[in-house]
């Protein structure tokens, strides 16, 4: 039997709104069981227009009262105030609280609650809006059955990777910030395409389709990128010379430094 029937999302911004949308589209979850909150009525009006069956309110304590799962999706500097507000109203002995707030640890979250509930940290990326997120989940004192049910809800919005808390910074860098890094490569390639004579829209489409092809090769063949690179690289040939120039300008090191600096 399902344990999670009522979910309240505190903060219906980019991330909270996308999660609400994903839950709303999940045919296995009752849309009437979703409540979202925000500071302003205009945000809530937008949510209600997009997802008519969900409940919306600016009253955080009322939203969490009776919820089985509370998802906190506010900015890091807003979380303390939100937890202090909801802590007395949430049934912390029974409900699970999930924070999508990057960089706030379980230890810090526990300190903010008067009675600490079972906790999850969840880090999706912006592709969650399209059901294509890579989402990391770490848990603290959440039983296996509840954790599996919540992971299942996020699996409907993309790939779920369950990790210990100490891997959260690395996961955040690789997939949450990482979506921007993947886009940064494509941005550079599009600019290069324009520089070499293509129109902007033409270059955009060519780079997107090239990425799609590269992904399909890895997926279909079950390969690491280097295996597919080797197939198109002849010593001294065009691709070889291009890759040498990229590495000569620090390509792989630049990517690694980007990851290390976002942890
Ligand atoms: N964006 C990402 O790619 C990403 C990825 C992983 C994790 N995260 C995490 O997700 C969190 C939210 O980021 P975001 O990009 O979604 O921010 P955002 O778009 O600014 O959304 C924040 C939302 O919180 C609401 N809010 C603020 N104070 C509130 C309060 N006291 N009670 C209820 N709602 C309140 C805001 O309401 P109003 O709209 O009315 O102002 C807004 O809707 C961050 O902590 C971030 O670390 C983001």
């Amino acid at each position: 039997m399902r344990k999670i029937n009522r979910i309240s999302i505190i903060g219906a911004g980019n991330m909270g709104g996308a999660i609400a949308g994903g839950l709303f589209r999940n045919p296995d979850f009752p849309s009437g069981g979703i409540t979202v909150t925000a500071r302003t009525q205009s945000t809530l009006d937008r949510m209600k227009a997009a997802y008519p069956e969900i409940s919306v309110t600016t009253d955080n304590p009322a939203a969490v009262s009776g919820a089985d799962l509370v998802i906190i999706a506010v900015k890091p500097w807003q979380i303390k105030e939100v937890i202090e507000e909801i802590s007395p109203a949430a049934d912390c002995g029974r409900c699970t609280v999930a924070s999508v707030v990057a960089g706030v640890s379980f230890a810090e979250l526990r300190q903010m609650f008067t009675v600490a509930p079972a906790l999850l940290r969840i880090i999706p990326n912006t592709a969650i809006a399209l059901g294509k997120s890579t989402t990391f989940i770490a848990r603290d004192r959440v039983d296996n059955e509840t954790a599996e049910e919540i992971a299942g809800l996020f699996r409907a919005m993309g790939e779920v990777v369950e990790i210990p808390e100490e891997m959260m910074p690395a996961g955040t860098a690789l997939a949450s910030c990482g979506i921007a890094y993947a886009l940064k490569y494509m941005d550079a390639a599009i600019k290069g395409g324009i520089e070499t004579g293509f129109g902007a829209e033409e270059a955009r489409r060519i780079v997107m389709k090239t990425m799609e092809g590269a992904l399909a090769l890895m997926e279909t063949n079950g390969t690491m990128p280097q295996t597919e690179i080797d197939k198109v690289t002849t010593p001294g040939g065009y691709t070889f010379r291009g890759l040498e120039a990229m590495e000569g300008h620090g390509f792989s090191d630049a990517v690694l430094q980007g990851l290390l600096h976002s942890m």
Side-chain angles (χ1 to χ4, degrees):
M1 204 178 79
R2 184 203 296 283
K3 287 173 100 176
I4 311 289
N5 293 297
R6 286 196 55 196
I7 301 180
S8 293
I9 302 172
I10 309 299
N14 293 317
M15 197 40 75
I19 293 171
L23 290 170
F24 180 82
R25 285 187 289 273
N26 183 342
D28 297 329
F29 191 82
S31 307
I34 306 166
T35 301
V36 298
T37 79
R39 257 179 328 194
T40 58
Q41 191 58 42
S42 56
T43 296
L44 296 178
D45 290 345
R46 274 200 307 278
M47 291 299 297
K48 192 74 184 162
Y51 314 117
E53 279 118 52
I54 68 172
S55 303
V56 297
T57 177
T58 52
D59 186 340
N60 289 332
V64 301
S65 167
D68 305 309
L69 173 64
V70 175
I71 300 175
I72 303 176
V74 296
K75 292 287 191 192
W77 56 91
Q78 297 165 327
I79 190 170
K80 191 165 185 293
E81 188 190 319
V82 161
I83 290 180
E84 280 168 3
E85 192 187 6
I86 64 171
S87 199
D91 182 359
C92 291
R94 192 184 61 82
C95 87
T96 302
V97 174
S99 162
V100 305
V101 179
V104 180
S105 68
F106 284 134
E108 289 168 312
L109 290 168
R110 289 207 164 278
Q111 277 188 349
M112 294 177 202
F113 280 95
T114 38
V115 179
L119 290 173
L120 292 168
R121 288 182 60 193
I122 300 181
I123 295 291
N125 65 29
T126 46
I128 198 165
L130 306 172
K132 296 272 185 193
S133 176
T134 302
T135 301
F136 295 96
I137 302 185
R139 61 170 152 146
D140 185 24
R141 300 179 212 175
V142 179
D143 65 77
N144 289 343
E145 205 185 328
T146 306
E148 185 41 45
E149 193 174 326
I150 295 168
L153 292 172
F154 279 85
R155 237 174 256 127
M157 299 180 237
E159 184 105 353
V160 167
V161 187
E162 292 181 62
I163 53 171
E165 183 180 36
E166 54 271 25
M167 284 301 291
M168 270 289 171
T172 304
L174 196 57
S176 184
C177 310
I179 202 155
Y181 305 154
L183 290 161
K184 186 76 185 162
Y185 163 77
M186 290 196 279
D187 182 57
I190 291 168
K191 285 175 178 151
I194 295 168
E195 186 87 15
T196 53
F198 290 101
E201 184 49 37
E202 211 178 1
R204 173 182 170 273
R205 186 139 190 92
I206 291 166
V207 170
M208 276 170 55
K209 287 289 161 192
T210 307
M211 288 298 281
E212 196 178 300
L215 285 176
L217 286 170
M218 283 177 68
E219 289 248 23
T220 308
N221 300 337
T223 44
M224 291 295 249
Q226 190 61 49
T227 305
E228 301 302 333
I229 291 172
D230 288 345
K231 291 180 190 168
V232 290
T233 312
T234 316
Y238 291 115
T239 314
F240 180 89
R241 296 204 310 259
L243 289 169
E244 281 230 312
M246 287 168 87
E247 284 306 329
H249 284 80
F251 183 79
S252 295
D253 192 47
V255 174
L256 176 62
Q257 290 306 318
L259 292 173
L260 294 176
H261 280 77
S262 47
M263 285 175 65

